[in-house]
Each structure stands twice: as structure tokens, then as C-alpha cells.
Amino acid sequence: MIFVILLSLLLLIILVTGLIAVFIPHIFGSVVLFNAFSFFVVLAYLLLSAPDVAFTEAVIGVISTAYYVIAVRELRKGDRE
Amino acid sequence: MKSTTNSIILEVACRLLIPVLIVFGVYVLVHGEYSPGGGFQAGVVLALAVVLNRVMEPADTKKGYWTFKIIALAGMGPIIYLLTGLWSIPFGGNFLEYGHLPLAVHEAERHLYGILFVEIGVTVGVMATIISIFDSLGKVGDPDDHGSLL
Amino acid sequence: MKHRFSRLSFAYGLICLAVLGIMVYCTTFLPSYTQLDNPAHRNVAEHYITQAKAETGSPNMVTAVLADYRGLDTLIETSVIFTAGVVTYALIAIRRRKNYIWGGDEDHEIDD
């Protein structure tokens, strides 16, 4: 029972974080919220006892955040000119 | 004296983090048969060390990165995988059948060595691909880039 | 950076919500969790779970399936990752170089 409650709570947080990450107008906030989304997905995978997938998701979340930060920097440089 | 880093905080953090990341990446690679992990995760962790080093460098660096070499290294990954698969064919096995590798160990242990060679290939390919994508997004061949990180 | 939602993006949001609703409705047809007789547990998984340690010597079943039983899939997956890197380099990095090999200098002027 506690498993179902925790998983439902986690899935709700994932849904809310993903929706805010899509609809927020501020672009760097979107990147940060995507990072939070990926972290909660990692927790959900761990709860479903899939540590291998959780490890892959954690690592991919970190590296995609680095990519997005670099892309945002390039966009701001384009704005300045 | 010209500063070699973006900021002192990044330099101190990276000086601690990069060796740990490299050791942890190699551990994930060679211990992937026994614990969660494997070639893909090890490749990304090793690439994170290089990416942290790229982030640490000052924004007005004039240094170009080794882009063509890194693409060639990314191509070496599938080639290592393919050669491991082809290696067992002259010794009576099928493609990627590790039980026929010419190693003087027990058959199940030959499977372990085959998995290790294959995952080294995956690691090299993923690591070089991630570094090359980061360099493409960032500062490659762009000497008049004055933007800071954020 | 100000950004106002136009009527078109509102329509896009409605389309996304409709697709989301369809997908959530389709999950009701999936087999439920923790049922031993759903298709993922019936065919070949039994053999993997019982024989993977003896046949490959690897205690980690995920690695055994990924690199040994399904080795050809992982080979193609690695080459797909390599293709992604090469395509990103071709789309982004070559365009920024001084000697832009696919066109003239005016494209470089527009780009930066």
C-alpha cells in the first residue's frame, strides 16, 4: 500500500514538473525544471527496482542539462547582437 | 599572470571532481558485469570529466579542440565491437559468440571477457560522441566567442 | 524576454492534451503490474532468469542480456549513437568553421 501511495505521489510530481517545464516562458527555468523532472524519474525507477535504468537516466539527465545550458548561452549571445 | 580558469570556485570543484569521475567511470566499466552499470553509463561518466574540464576553461580561450580526432575516436567504438564479434569466427563460433574466443580460461569466463571487450567499444563510442556533440554546441572554431557560461 | 501565448500555441496545447488523453486511455489496455502471466514474463524471460548466470557467468542479468544474448542490437545501437554525433557535427559545427565547405561566406555572415 505504501508502495502505491509513494509511486502515485512521485508520478504526480513528475507530471506537474514536466508540464511546468513545457509551459514556463523563462527558458533557463525550463532547463532547471527539466533537470528536476529527470531526478524524479530516477526516483521512480529506483522505486520500481530498476537500478540500471535509474543509473542511465541520472547520467543522461546530467549530460543533457549541460547541453541545454550551452544551448541557452548560445541563444543569449544571439539576443545580445 | 593570465588566469587559466573561468572562476576559482569552478577550478577548486573540478580539481576534486575530475579524478573521482574518471576513477568512477573506469570502475563502472570494468565492474559492469557484477553491479548496475555498463558501457553506456561508463562512457557518459568519462565524458562528463572532459566536459567539466571544457566548462572550467576561460571563455576567451583561443584553443581549438580536436574535433576530427574525436569523431574518429567515436568511430573506433563500433569498430572495436565489430572486431570482437568477428574474432570468434576463425575459431569455430558464430558472430558475437564469446564461448569460442581463443582465451585460456573456462568457457563462462570467456563470456565475461567478451562482454568486457564489447563494453570497452561501447564506452569509447559513447564518450567520444558526447564530447564531440558538446564541442559542436560550444566553442568549436569560434575564436571570437566572449559569452560567459550563464 | 517577454513571450505571450498566441491563439496558435493555445491550439497546440489543446492538441497535446488530446494526445495525452488518448495515451492515458490506451494504458488501460496494458497488462497490469505484478501479474506473473502477462506477456513479458511468459516467453523467454524464464530462461534468462534461470540460465543467465550459468551461461554467461555474469551475475548482472541486464548486462548479460544487453551484451551477450542481444549483442547485435547493442552493436547497432552503438553505431546509431555514432551517427548522432556525426550528424550533429555536420549540422552545427561545420557551419561555424571559417572555411564553410557547403556554401559561400554569406551563410557564415547570417549565421553569426
Side-chain angles (χ1 to χ4, degrees), chain B residues 59-137:
Chain B
D60 57 343
T61 179
K62 292 286 195 291
K63 193 170 72 179
Y65 297 132
W66 4 283
T67 51
F68 280 119
K69 286 178 192 166
I70 207 78
I71 291 282
L73 190 64
M76 284 303 293
I79 290 176
I80 292 173
Y81 202 124
L82 197 64
L83 288 181
T84 310
L86 291 175
W87 192 16
S88 62
I89 288 183
F91 301 96
N94 286 324
F95 183 63
L96 285 170
E97 192 172 1
Y98 309 129
H100 293 271
L101 288 180
L103 302 168
V105 287
H106 190 256
E107 187 184 340
E109 210 158 340
R110 280 183 214 155
H111 277 275
L112 282 187
Y113 281 108
I115 291 174
L116 182 62
F117 290 147
V118 157
E119 291 201 333
I120 287 173
V122 177
T123 303
V124 169
V126 170
M127 181 187 74
T129 302
I130 284 177
I131 296 169
S132 79
I133 292 179
F134 189 84
D135 286 352
S136 310
L137 288 175

Side-chain angles (χ1 to χ4, degrees), chain A residues 40-58:
Chain A
F40 286 120
V41 171
V42 169
L43 285 186
Y45 284 145
L46 279 180
L47 203 59
L48 292 170
S49 66
D52 235 310
V53 190
F55 192 12
T56 313
E57 173 66 36

Side-chain angles (χ1 to χ4, degrees), chain C residues 43-98:
Chain C
N43 297 323
V44 82
E46 181 80 31
H47 177 257
Y48 286 164
I49 291 170
T50 55
Q51 302 292 318
K53 178 77 169 66
E55 282 183 359
T56 69
S58 166
N60 187 0
M61 217 190 325
V62 177
T63 306
V65 174
L66 201 72
D68 202 331
Y69 291 114
R70 296 281 181 266
L72 194 61
D73 287 348
T74 314
L75 171 61
I76 306 297
E77 180 197 325
T78 312
S79 50
V80 164
I81 292 169
F82 168 62
T83 311
V86 170
V87 166
T88 311
Y89 183 73
L91 283 179
I92 299 176
I94 290 181
R95 186 178 282 257
R96 293 190 178 186
R97 291 161 61 86
K98 287 295 179 193

Side-chain angles (χ1 to χ4, degrees), chain C residues 12-54:
Chain C
Y12 288 156
L14 273 188
I15 291 171
C16 286
L17 279 182
V19 172
L20 180 71
I22 291 171
M23 287 165 76
V24 168
Y25 174 65
C26 284
T27 55
T28 59
F29 299 119
L30 290 176
S32 60
Y33 288 133
T34 66
Q35 256 188 341
L36 282 179
D37 57 339
N38 57 19
H41 300 145
R42 247 184 287 161
N43 297 323
V44 82
E46 181 80 31
H47 177 257
Y48 286 164
I49 291 170
T50 55
Q51 302 292 318
K53 178 77 169 66

Side-chain angles (χ1 to χ4, degrees), chain B residues 29-60:
Chain B
L29 169 62
V30 302
H31 210 258
E33 295 100 13
Y34 301 100
S35 62
F40 190 84
Q41 292 93 330
V44 182
V45 170
L46 285 176
L48 265 176
V50 182
V51 165
L52 263 185
N53 198 11
R54 297 271 199 275
V55 169
M56 193 182 73
E57 279 169 354
D60 57 343

